[in-house]
Amino acid sequence: MIRAYTFLMRPTVGQTQALGEMLRDHCSLYNGALQERRDAYRHVSKTSIKYGMQSAQLKDIRAFDPERQGRWSFSSQQATLRRLDKAFAAFFRRVKADETPGYPRFRGVNWFDTVDFPKDGDGVRWNSTPHDPVTRVRFQGVGHVKVNQHRPVVGKVKTVSVKREGRRWYVVLTAEQGEPEPLAPTGSVVGIDMGIANFLADSNGGFVPNPRHGRQAAAKLEAAQQALSRFPRVRRDKRTANHQKAVRKVAGLHRKVRCQRLDHAHKTALGLIREHDFVAYEDLKIRNMVKAPAPKTDPDQPGAFLPNGAAAKAGLNKSINDAGWGVFLTILTSKAESAGRTVIAVDPRNTSRTCPRPTCGHVAAENRTTQEKFHCVACGHTAHADTVGAVNVLRAGLVRRDARQG
Ligand SMILES: [Zn+2]
């Protein structure tokens, strides 16, 4: 199993400059190779240049330009040429499929933010100072750069990348891990209902609240985005200092929201996977289809529409996105897979309207009196509506599981 890690780097002033020069030179290598391909393609012979031909020239390019191209890792330069090759492959694939793709474009130096090192130990060394308590990564031409390693790296490091995001520098690792041991069976099953007031409700009557500070961060982000929108749209290198500051603020808040959401999703998924052998959840694709409001036409006024709660629904959708269920479900599924647990999506239709009492099972929209309250009109059973939803999701999930097992 391959796993990726992203860590913030803490380069010195000199290293920051060297990293910038590394990106600049890789960018000019990329653009030079692109120019060559363009020229060859426009020539009457319609020559198409392949990665192998460009890679074979690298040795000479480095020898002619030892101050710049000669400084950097050969393999990382190959990786950059391969990236261009991929852009062309995608371009030709789309041409073949009768689409009209844009020809691969030159990259401005501010838009070229990544350098890949295909193999640890070749032009790059992860954990280059193993006896020092501070983790460092060494790049050819840059030196040993300090890393904020906020969690351990498990397994053997395969590839290393440098990534610039605004003013920050990151190192991205991929590591090969052995297959994890499946968890011991617990004999427990659970259904979950993803809500608005709470992140989710489970079929045992438990609730997981939404990420704390999530709403606050979202409000700050919205304000920052509004502030940013007041600046004119100009090229990245033509922005004023205040404009740049506004851009960085939005990027920083985005990062914060993303991190909080991810962290919350990981913790929630881990809790469920540890406690239960089987988790059933609502299929979000069906759910979104079912719950999207259809416009109602006004019979007195042809062409006009009656209000049908579409605006309220839009707000609801926003909250759904905020809660980040998609992210959560992806994490849940992958964790379940490596722990040997079963996760099943079920059709959410009627899960919020069906009485969960085994002896009743009455289905009626009137059963759900408010967003939170469930009150069966047939048998009088009352419960939290989301708990009812979760119980029904579990029941539907178990039916599907048993049908699969035959
Ligand atoms: Zn009932």
Side-chain angles (χ1 to χ4, degrees):
M1 197 173 69
I2 298 284
R3 191 161 165 207
Y5 297 88
T6 304
F7 298 123
L8 183 67
M9 295 199 285
R10 297 259 182 229
T12 62
V13 174
Q15 288 169 342
T16 304
Q17 192 186 341
L19 285 168
E21 287 168 2
M22 181 166 85
L23 285 187
R24 176 200 68 194
D25 294 345
H26 274 78
C27 178
S28 80
L29 180 69
Y30 184 96
N31 286 338
L34 172 55
Q35 182 71 56
E36 189 184 37
R37 286 190 184 224
R38 281 188 162 210
D39 292 347
Y41 190 69
R42 283 192 188 137
H43 188 257
V44 281
S45 62
K46 285 257 178 199
T47 310
S48 103
I49 291 187
K50 298 276 185 301
Y51 163 76
M53 297 149 92
Q54 296 198 307
S55 175
Q57 300 172 45
L58 258 183
K59 214 174 144 198
D60 290 335
I61 292 171
R62 292 167 59 88
F64 280 125
D65 191 4
E67 300 287 302
R68 294 182 60 163
Q69 298 298 349
R71 275 169 80 185
W72 315 113
S73 143
F74 194 94
S75 320
S76 69
Q77 291 171 324
Q78 283 180 317
T80 292
L81 291 179
R82 226 173 274 130
R83 218 186 319 158
L84 176 68
D85 198 55
K86 264 192 201 158
F88 269 92
F91 169 72
F92 286 120
R93 203 179 318 120
R94 294 190 59 193
V95 168
K96 247 191 178 167
D98 272 339
E99 294 172 48
T100 45
Y103 195 83
R105 285 161 65 165
F106 291 104
R107 303 272 199 99
V109 73
N110 288 318
W111 293 95
F112 196 91
D113 290 324
T114 308
V115 170
D116 299 319
F117 297 81
K119 191 165 162 259
D120 185 30
D122 185 354
V124 66
R125 169 74 66 193
W126 169 248
N127 199 10
S128 57
T129 54
H131 300 297
D132 200 306
V134 179
T135 308
R136 291 186 179 81
V137 55
R138 194 190 80 85
F139 299 104
Q140 181 178 331
V142 178
H144 301 267
V145 183
K146 275 191 196 172
V147 177
N148 262 11
Q149 193 189 338
H150 59 272
R151 60 172 162 174
V153 174
V154 183
K156 190 180 171 359
V157 173
K158 294 281 180 195
T159 69
V160 182
S161 301
V162 166
K163 208 174 159 208
R164 177 174 59 191
E165 239 184 83
R167 273 187 181 175
R168 290 165 190 252
W169 292 89
Y170 293 91
V171 57
V172 182
L173 311 174
T174 60
E176 173 97 62
Q177 296 178 345
E179 288 303 317
E181 290 284 307
L183 294 174
T186 60
S188 170
V189 295
V190 76
I192 54 174
D193 178 280
M194 289 167 287
I196 301 296
N198 284 294
F199 184 71
L200 63 83
D202 69 38
S203 49
N204 302 320
F207 294 91
V208 175
N210 278 310
R212 270 199 305 156
H213 317 303
R215 212 151 274 284
Q216 204 183 337
K220 273 191 195 164
L221 178 61
E222 202 169 324
Q225 270 168 336
Q226 234 163 45
L228 175 61
S229 70
R230 290 190 201 107
F231 289 96
R233 285 183 163 271
V234 288
R235 263 169 51 187
R236 207 190 271 200
D237 52 338
K238 295 255 153 64
R239 288 172 187 159
T240 62
N242 278 335
H243 190 172
Q244 281 169 9
K245 209 168 133 193
V247 170
R248 275 201 301 277
K249 183 149 191 199
V250 168
L253 287 168
H254 259 302
R255 193 179 309 121
K256 198 167 166 190
V257 169
R258 212 164 53 221
C259 287
Q260 282 175 346
R261 180 180 296 174
L262 262 180
D263 195 46
H264 182 262
H266 270 288
K267 279 182 187 146
T268 308
L270 193 63
L272 287 168
I273 293 302
R274 279 205 182 125
E275 282 175 41
H276 310 285
D277 297 341
F278 175 86
V279 183
Y281 67 91
E282 304 158 284
D283 190 324
L284 287 185
K285 263 179 258 152
I286 301 179
R287 180 178 155 134
N288 288 342
M289 258 162 29
V290 174
K291 301 202 172 164
K296 288 181 196 160
T297 46
D298 188 338
D300 298 330
Q301 237 182 314
F305 293 96
L306 288 171
N308 64 347
K313 174 69 189 164
L316 190 73
N317 282 338
K318 188 176 175 302
S319 305
I320 292 172
N321 291 333
D322 284 352
W325 294 333
V327 174
F328 163 71
L329 290 173
T330 309
I331 292 170
L332 179 70
T333 312
S334 103
K335 279 198 198 300
E337 217 165 82
S338 47
R341 304 297 207 207
T342 310
V343 170
I344 279 185
V346 302
D347 187 335
R349 261 168 284 202
N350 293 334
T351 51
S352 61
R353 298 186 266 196
T354 307
C355 177
R357 258 201 177 159
T359 49
C360 176
H362 183 67
V363 183
E366 293 74 36
N367 283 349
R368 188 167 193 165
T369 45
T370 64
Q371 184 68 31
E372 287 194 357
K373 241 176 117 183
F374 182 94
H375 188 159
C376 178
V377 291
C379 75
H381 177 76
T382 57
H384 194 291
D386 292 343
T387 306
V388 168
V391 170
N392 288 324
V393 164
L394 172 61
R395 194 164 295 161
L398 290 173
V399 168
R400 272 198 71 187
R401 182 187 70 172
D402 296 345
R404 264 191 213 171
Q405 286 169 347

